[in-house]
Amino acid sequence: LRQVNQQLTEQSQRLYQASITDALTGVNNRAHGMQRLHEMVQARAAGRRQALILIDIDLFKSINDSHGHPAGDQVLVAVARALQQALPAGAELSRVGGEEFMVLLTDVDPRQLFDIGNALRAQVRAASVEVAGKRIAVPISVGICAIDDLPEATAQHAYVAADDALYRAKRGGRDCVCMHAPAAVDQASS
């Protein structure tokens, strides 16, 4: 009975892990990432400084169109690995869309967020991917929201603010970082 109970516990743990993991990249999936974002924002009252970073692979459709979907999958896996290598301790990475990733940070100095975003961008750029015998660079755009800067912090508000910053990075030429800055001038870098 003890052995059967242990097997059931192990199977339950494997099923839970599979339910929160993106099958392709091995990072958290969207549902788990969004749940963690909600939990993180709820903990805001505890005085913890938090941030949300959204990352989008620039011109990903052209990779799929030029090299095929298996190459696109290679790029997604390589980007996930590169991001994991550059994440600060305690950060959580999720794949939240086709070529979009989300990073959750807790107890982070807001003055370091821009540098963290640039470090992620540089790490992915340096980790070019070999596709059909050619190495291709993979630029990303990064949008950052310091959750404490939001007047009304909900998971939805944080996500929208980071998404707005991400699209400013896209419109600003891609391969750069933009911060959500409600009362200040945006920072951008490429």
Side-chain angles (χ1 to χ4, degrees):
L1 186 60
R2 191 176 306 156
Q3 183 180 5
V4 170
N5 192 27
Q6 181 178 352
Q7 289 172 341
L8 287 173
T9 299
E10 290 170 4
Q11 182 179 12
S12 176
Q13 289 170 343
R14 281 192 305 275
L15 289 172
Y16 172 73
Q17 198 59 42
S19 75
I20 65 170
T21 303
D22 177 65
L24 177 64
T25 61
V27 302
N28 292 333
N29 64 22
R30 179 183 178 86
H32 185 68
M34 296 307 283
Q35 177 62 36
R36 291 293 300 132
L37 173 61
H38 178 75
E39 291 167 3
M40 189 176 84
V41 171
Q42 293 301 312
R44 179 180 185 215
R48 303 180 82 181
R49 295 183 295 193
Q50 305 159 329
L52 165 64
I53 300 175
L54 288 180
I55 299 159
D56 191 76
I57 300 172
D58 293 330
L59 305 172
F60 184 72
K61 184 179 181 327
S62 68
I63 294 170
N64 279 336
D65 290 349
S66 299
H67 305 287
H69 290 278
D73 287 351
Q74 271 184 271
V75 168
L76 290 167
V77 170
V79 167
R81 285 188 186 139
L83 291 171
Q84 287 174 312
Q85 291 172 357
L87 288 176
E92 297 180 45
L93 177 65
S94 302
R95 181 175 172 212
V96 293
E99 68 271 11
E100 192 170 301
F101 294 86
M102 176 174 73
V103 176
L104 301 176
L105 299 161
T106 301
D107 297 327
V108 62
D109 184 340
R111 295 170 297 195
Q112 295 176 336
L113 288 173
F114 192 73
D115 292 337
I116 291 169
N118 264 324
L120 293 170
R121 186 185 62 78
Q123 180 75 21
V124 170
R125 192 77 146 117
S128 60
V129 181
E130 187 171 324
V131 175
K134 291 187 213 175
R135 295 213 60 82
I136 60 170
V138 182
I140 60 172
S141 293
V142 180
I144 302 173
C145 171
I147 294 172
D148 296 331
D149 289 346
L150 297 174
E152 184 181 347
T154 66
Q156 181 66 21
H157 285 110
Y159 195 87
V160 167
D163 196 51
D164 286 346
L166 174 65
Y167 279 92
R168 276 197 315 280
K170 292 279 192 191
R171 287 189 303 271
R174 297 183 176 90
D175 193 23
C176 64
V177 176
C178 282
M179 296 268 311
H180 170 73
V185 176
D186 280 338
Q187 297 180 25
S189 171
S190 45

